[in-house]
Amino acid sequence: MKNLVSWFKRLFMVPGLFALLLVASGCSGITVLDPKGPVARTQQELIIFSITLMSVIVIVVFVLFFYMIIRFRERPNWTDKDYDPHQHGNTTLEIIWTVIPFIIVAALSVPTVTSLYALESPPEETNDQEPLVIHADTSNWKWYFSYPEQDIETVNYLHIPENRPIEFKLASADSMTALWIPALGGQKYNMAGMQNTLYLQADEEGEFAGRNANYNGSGFAEHTFTVTSESEEEFNQWVSDVQNNAPEMTKDRFDQYLEPGLAQEAEYSSTHLEYVDFGMNSGRSYITDLYGGNLGEQLHLEGGEGGPWEEE
């Protein structure tokens, strides 16, 4: 009896520790499971479906595992006639464990591929609206958000109207990065000399965190930005304020931004797209032609101190 109690303790120790880890991880506060837009909602449903399917698989595997270690454990009354070392296979079982993985892969792949292709277009809920185009470019370790239609640009912060699709044009001046706003959707890469497109949308007003999701060196942890979602009227008012009150993004000013280091938030009444487009092949070597071997020296990582934003 004592051995039986000890065996049951060991049996339930593993799932008990697993449940404790889940509780301790604070999974209720995971941003990607609290979507604020249709893109993030689609990805949340895909994540939950994948976790549920894989959990069912794990449960089935553990049930079979424990059944086998109990059913075929060594017993005091077993003799040599209960043991057959010459197994010649089981056709039924072999078919089952060959077919089931195909079913699992298909069950995961079909909704994943379907969702990913659907997210390459603006959300269906608002496909009657023209997306707001924003160029999201990076250099070590700053974000430049250019609004070509409004002819304004921001550094390290973003304003967007709620309930309108946003078409991000992603590119990088130097190392590869990735734009990620967890509350609004998954990440996509920024690369030099080419352009990726990412559609996101916010369903409600609020402030969301965004960051670079691809490690790019010393300033990676601070390579972040804030996203403010607001009504169409408030967004238009903000655009008007920037157009009328912010300084221009001159070529000299933007070239200073390209020096490696952090920067404070700033806004400008023109965009760097007038001088260079990192999404085109012609912009691939712009920063290396400009600074060449000086890259990596005199980094200003102390809260973004020193730079063109302090002139205003």
Side-chain angles (χ1 to χ4, degrees), residues 10 15 24 44 59 65 99 117 123 127-128 144 163-164 175 217 231 246 248 255 273 287 293 310:
R10 291 197 297 270
Q44 178 221 29
I59 291 172
F65 172 71
V99 172
Y117 272 95
N127 59 11
D128 58 329
Y144 314 103
N163 294 320
R164 180 178 174 184
S175 57
S231 66
E248 290 188 1
D255 288 347
L273 299 176
I287 192 170
E310 293 190 343

Side-chain angles (χ1 to χ4, degrees), residues 30-49:
I30 298 176
T31 305
V32 294
L33 298 182
D34 184 22
K36 303 299 182 185
V39 175
R41 194 173 305 112
T42 298
Q43 293 172 342
Q44 178 221 29
E45 292 169 354
L46 189 60
I47 291 171
I48 292 176
F49 169 76

Side-chain angles (χ1 to χ4, degrees), residues 171-174 191-195 277-285:
S172 171
D174 38 44
M191 289 175 277
M194 63 177 294
Q195 194 171 76
D277 185 349
F278 299 116
M280 305 292 289
N281 192 46
S282 57
R284 182 192 299 268
S285 61

Side-chain angles (χ1 to χ4, degrees), residues 14-174:
V14 173
L17 288 173
F18 182 70
L20 184 62
L21 285 174
L22 282 180
V23 173
S25 68
C27 55
S28 60
I30 298 176
T31 305
V32 294
L33 298 182
D34 184 22
K36 303 299 182 185
V39 175
R41 194 173 305 112
T42 298
Q43 293 172 342
Q44 178 221 29
E45 292 169 354
L46 189 60
I47 291 171
I48 292 176
F49 169 76
S50 300
I51 292 176
T52 304
L53 179 60
M54 289 186 284
S55 297
V56 170
I57 295 169
V58 169
I59 291 172
V60 171
V61 169
F62 270 87
V63 168
L64 291 175
F65 172 71
F66 285 115
Y67 168 77
M68 284 185 279
I69 62 174
I70 294 172
R71 173 68 178 80
F72 299 104
R73 72 186 187 280
E74 185 179 1
R75 302 173 187 176
N77 58 346
W78 274 32
T79 62
D80 289 344
K81 67 180 181 181
D82 297 311
Y83 173 64
D84 181 9
H86 304 294
Q87 296 286 344
H88 294 285
N90 185 308
T91 303
T92 301
L93 286 177
E94 289 173 358
I95 292 175
I96 290 174
W97 65 52
T98 301
V99 172
I100 286 180
F102 281 102
I103 296 174
I104 293 172
V105 171
L108 285 171
S109 301
V110 171
T112 300
V113 173
T114 303
S115 298
L116 291 179
Y117 272 95
L119 296 180
E120 289 297 312
S121 303
E124 289 186 5
E125 295 89 337
T126 51
N127 59 11
D128 58 329
Q129 297 187 50
E130 190 70 22
L132 172 66
V133 176
I134 300 176
H135 286 249
D137 293 340
T138 65
S139 71
N140 287 331
W141 291 270
K142 297 166 280 279
W143 287 94
Y144 314 103
F145 298 106
S146 306
Y147 299 69
E149 297 173 18
Q150 290 73 24
D151 196 26
I152 61 173
E153 181 161 319
T154 61
V155 178
N156 291 340
Y157 81 94
L158 185 63
H159 276 238
I160 59 173
E162 63 172 332
N163 294 320
R164 180 178 174 184
I166 311 298
E167 182 178 341
F168 286 102
K169 301 289 189 183
L170 310 177
S172 171
D174 38 44

